[in-house]
Amino acid sequence: MSPFLPNATILLLAAIISTAAAAVTPSHTFLRSSCVSARHPELCISSIAASASLLHSISSSKDVIHASLNLTLAAVRRSIAGAKIISARPSLTSRERAAVQDCLEMFDETLDELRRADADLRSYSPGFASSKSLSRHAADLKIMISGAITNQESCADGFSHASDDRRLRLGILRGLTYIERMCENALAMIRNMTDGDMAAAAATEGRKLASRHDGFPEWMTARDRQQLQSADTTADLTVAVDGSGNFRTITEAVAAAPVKSKRRFVIKIKAGVYAENVEVPKNKTNIMFVGDGRTKTVITGSRNVVDGWTTFRSATLAAVGSGFLARDLRIENTAGPSKHQAVALRVGSDLSAFYNCVIIAHQDTLYVHSLRQFFRSCLIQGTVDFIFGNAAAVFQDCDIQARRPGLNQKNMVTAQGRSDPNEPTGIVLQSCRITATDDLEAAKGSFPSYLGRPWKEYSRTVVLRSEIGDFIRPEGWHEWNLDFGLDTLYYGEYENTGPGAGTVRRVDWKGYKVITDAGEAQQFTVGNFLEGSDWLGATGFPFSLGL
């Protein structure tokens, strides 16, 4: 073959190079520079570049994130349409149908979360006056995208219990994988943008970024602030099993509550046992449950996976509407250890809080599913993975008690489900008492117990200044499956006490560490991890912002 090219070939190559150079517009430049920080850069570029209208709309890095969110929203709508088609198949088992319905609910929530993130992004203008601090704006953006990611993971998890589910799981996974990766791209780009903006603001202004410190959201009226600060919270509706209230069931009271309320709506639940599975849906916002005491007002159920429910739908109480509060009541699932996953409380409510509550079951007691959650002075009891999920959840001054599990089971206090390293999520146990119930204490040598195990690859759990009983094994933590997640998780312990707090014999995983720097521990306090100074004052519950 001749080493020289014919003149015609040279001219053709020159034309191609010239055309390609002309096609590199400012929009392409912004796209490529922004997608560098994405988790999946190739997908980031190719998905947006495939749409001429989206590509031409890009004139900033923020526009790239908007474009990514718009494509993701479209993909979620396609998944909803596909799931509805699947749900209509007459051949589905009841278990499969339930899992598809769970997915449809979570897809619907994902649409809301992505729309909120997109709207927040439009109002994001560092350096200009805003009702939100820069750090709060960044936190809101990141937690909404994290919630969307968690919904895709939870949808897939719903098909993993039995072999007959897996055929459906594979079909649904294709859409889920695309949505999740697009969300991961948006989250990475948002983190890159907001981290840079906050660093620049701190450097140029030389001061701490502004934030509300009264703990009330901007929209709340002075009347509502005064009401919430009062120990006597007036009920809007009353539930009583004896008929002395407005309703006999909690479900009826929730149905009667206003839709998308911007003020706190208080439902008083009188002493009694309420045998019902209660759901506070996404359109019932700012609902507050107030019981007569955590030994007097009891919400009880027994749904479980063995009897055909999904883990997601097994919850005795499921709170999804944002701003949900509960105090002075007991929530339980009585299914027992032989029924495996059986949730007492599932929470997917952003800026939700629980005070002086009892939450009791066995496996999977408390599903801190997603978004931001706070628990104060609560009692939580369970066995396997009994605090699990992917919320940003902080537990303060709580009694966390492991129970005697079923035969050949191990107790795992936590199973945190963070699947992406940029998610602002994790389980934090601060100033808690981690102990064994009397039935476990008597047989603790027969049932190994651990602080947690990594449910997902970037699992994050931190134990701060808590008392740890001697029922916890010296290694402290347990693997999920061989070496899965051991290098990528973050498990930290800081200044804990008690006979089970020694760290000399703890696991030697790359992701585990004994925290010795107070500054690092401060990252996981209510003030920093939950932006608690912006909203917890509105709950009327006690809280501590720092260590």
Side-chain angles (χ1 to χ4, degrees):
M1 181 182 292
S2 170
F4 301 103
L5 294 174
N7 288 337
T9 304
I10 294 172
L11 290 173
L12 178 60
L13 286 172
I16 292 172
I17 293 169
S18 176
T19 302
V24 179
T25 65
S27 294
H28 284 93
T29 302
F30 279 119
L31 177 61
R32 291 185 178 277
S33 62
S34 298
C35 287
V36 166
S37 63
R39 284 291 313 278
H40 313 282
E42 298 85 357
L43 176 63
C44 179
I45 294 169
S46 63
S47 60
I48 296 172
S51 169
S53 60
L54 279 180
L55 184 59
H56 292 152
S57 71
I58 292 172
S59 60
S60 68
S61 295
K62 198 166 84 165
D63 289 338
V64 176
I65 304 173
H66 278 302
S68 184
L69 291 175
N70 286 334
L71 288 169
T72 311
L73 281 163
V76 175
R77 294 187 193 100
R78 290 194 297 272
S79 287
I80 290 174
K84 286 180 177 178
I85 292 171
I86 292 172
S87 69
R89 292 179 185 173
S91 60
L92 291 185
T93 65
S94 59
R95 177 69 181 68
E96 290 171 333
R97 197 174 305 282
V100 175
Q101 288 302 315
D102 289 350
C103 287
L104 281 168
E105 179 176 325
M106 285 183 273
F107 290 157
D108 192 42
E109 291 165 12
T110 298
L111 287 178
D112 283 354
E113 287 156 354
L114 294 179
R115 286 169 184 151
R116 179 176 164 185
D118 191 59
D120 273 359
L121 188 62
R122 292 186 189 284
S123 64
Y124 178 79
S125 300
F128 293 89
S130 172
S131 61
K132 292 183 183 180
S133 68
L134 187 55
S135 61
R136 175 59 189 274
H137 216 143
D140 287 352
L141 284 166
K142 287 183 280 190
I143 201 67
M144 285 299 115
I145 304 298
S146 171
I149 291 171
T150 302
N151 286 333
Q152 312 318 302
E153 290 278 329
S154 298
C155 171
D157 290 339
F159 293 94
S160 61
H161 295 290
S163 58
D164 57 343
D165 288 342
R166 294 194 182 107
R167 59 190 176 88
L168 276 181
R169 188 177 190 269
L170 291 173
I172 287 180
L173 264 180
R174 286 190 291 272
L176 295 183
T177 301
Y178 176 79
I179 293 168
E180 187 166 350
R181 287 180 179 175
M182 290 293 286
C183 286
E184 289 172 347
N185 282 344
L187 179 58
M189 290 187 285
I190 285 169
R191 180 176 177 181
N192 183 62
M193 176 184 71
T194 57
D195 284 0
D197 290 340
M198 286 191 289
T204 57
E205 297 173 21
R207 61 176 177 82
K208 194 172 181 178
L209 295 173
S211 177
R212 289 197 65 92
H213 290 289
D214 61 1
F216 292 92
E218 294 289 341
W219 51 261
M220 186 164 285
T221 65
R223 173 184 174 276
D224 285 331
R225 295 183 194 194
Q226 290 170 356
Q227 180 190 38
L228 287 165
Q229 285 176 318
S230 170
D232 180 23
T233 303
T234 304
D236 293 287
L237 290 174
T238 300
V239 182
V241 288
D242 62 6
S244 61
N246 302 100
F247 300 100
R248 290 180 180 271
T249 70
I250 303 166
T251 299
E252 290 174 306
V254 171
V259 171
K260 296 184 178 178
S261 175
K262 288 191 175 182
R263 75 169 187 88
R264 186 69 62 211
F265 190 87
V266 180
I267 298 175
K268 173 70 175 179
I269 308 172
K270 287 189 174 182
V273 177
Y274 299 84
E276 53 180 309
N277 290 84
V278 180
E279 295 196 21
V280 181
K282 68 171 187 174
N283 65 346
K284 300 288 182 167
T285 55
N286 294 301
I287 300 291
M288 182 178 190
F289 286 0
V290 179
D292 269 339
R294 68 186 204 177
T295 62
K296 297 178 180 179
T297 298
V298 181
I299 309 173
T300 185
S302 60
R303 289 179 180 176
N304 60 84
V305 166
V306 171
D307 290 342
W309 297 94
T310 61
T311 301
F312 187 81
R313 198 62 62 185
S314 69
T316 301
L317 170 61
V320 179
S322 64
F324 179 82
L325 304 180
R327 64 176 297 165
D328 304 323
L329 49 80
R330 174 182 172 117
I331 308 154
E332 64 182 24
N333 189 314
T334 61
S338 65
K339 297 293 187 175
H340 301 296
Q341 295 94 336
V343 176
L345 172 64
R346 167 170 55 85
V347 187
S349 168
D350 193 28
L351 307 180
S352 56
F354 299 78
Y355 174 56
N356 195 35
C357 292
V358 172
I359 307 160
I360 293 182
H362 285 86
Q363 183 171 350
D364 289 4
T365 299
L366 174 53
Y367 195 173
V368 288
H369 182 261
S370 55
L371 308 178
R372 291 166 286 198
Q373 308 175 18
F374 177 67
F375 297 80
R376 174 79 182 206
S377 303
C378 292
L379 167 64
I380 301 114
Q381 290 184 351
T383 56
V384 181
D385 305 333
F386 68 91
I387 302 175
F388 76 111
N390 191 33
V394 177
F395 296 77
Q396 268 187 0
D397 186 40
C398 289
D399 288 286
I400 298 170
Q401 298 179 349
R403 307 174 71 178
R404 179 171 177 148
L407 189 65
N408 298 321
Q409 288 185 329
K410 300 180 179 69
N411 281 327
M412 305 290 169
V413 175
T414 66
Q416 205 281 326
R418 183 167 168 255
S419 62
D420 185 280
N422 293 308
E423 288 184 277
T425 54
I427 293 171
V428 179
L429 310 180
Q430 181 187 10
S431 301
C432 293
R433 294 158 294 281
I434 305 168
T435 58
T437 57
D438 291 342
D439 63 342
L440 175 61
E441 186 66 34
K444 61 189 176 185
S446 302
F447 299 98
S449 297
Y450 302 86
L451 292 170
R453 59 176 178 166
W455 183 25
K456 303 290 182 179
E457 188 175 3
Y458 295 92
S459 180
R460 180 160 64 176
T461 301
V462 181
V463 186
L464 305 174
R465 289 183 173 168
S466 292
E467 178 186 340
I468 304 175
D470 65 357
F471 75 105
I472 293 294
R473 292 288 297 266
E475 55 267 39
W477 307 84
H478 198 275
E479 70 276 1
W480 182 272
N481 182 21
L482 300 176
D483 62 354
F484 172 77
L486 303 189
D487 289 347
T488 49
L489 59 78
Y490 181 101
Y491 285 170
E493 298 184 53
Y494 177 74
E495 294 188 355
N496 297 309
T497 59
T503 57
V504 174
R505 296 171 60 189
R506 286 294 195 251
V507 293
D508 61 356
W509 306 337
K510 181 179 178 180
Y512 170 77
K513 72 180 304 183
V514 177
I515 301 172
T516 57
D517 177 20
E520 182 173 356
Q522 283 281 1
Q523 297 174 42
F524 302 102
T525 59
V526 165
N528 291 318
F529 201 58
L530 297 182
E531 295 283 322
S533 63
D534 284 356
W535 63 279
L536 275 173
T539 66
F541 301 164
F543 62 93
S544 174
L545 291 175
L547 288 170

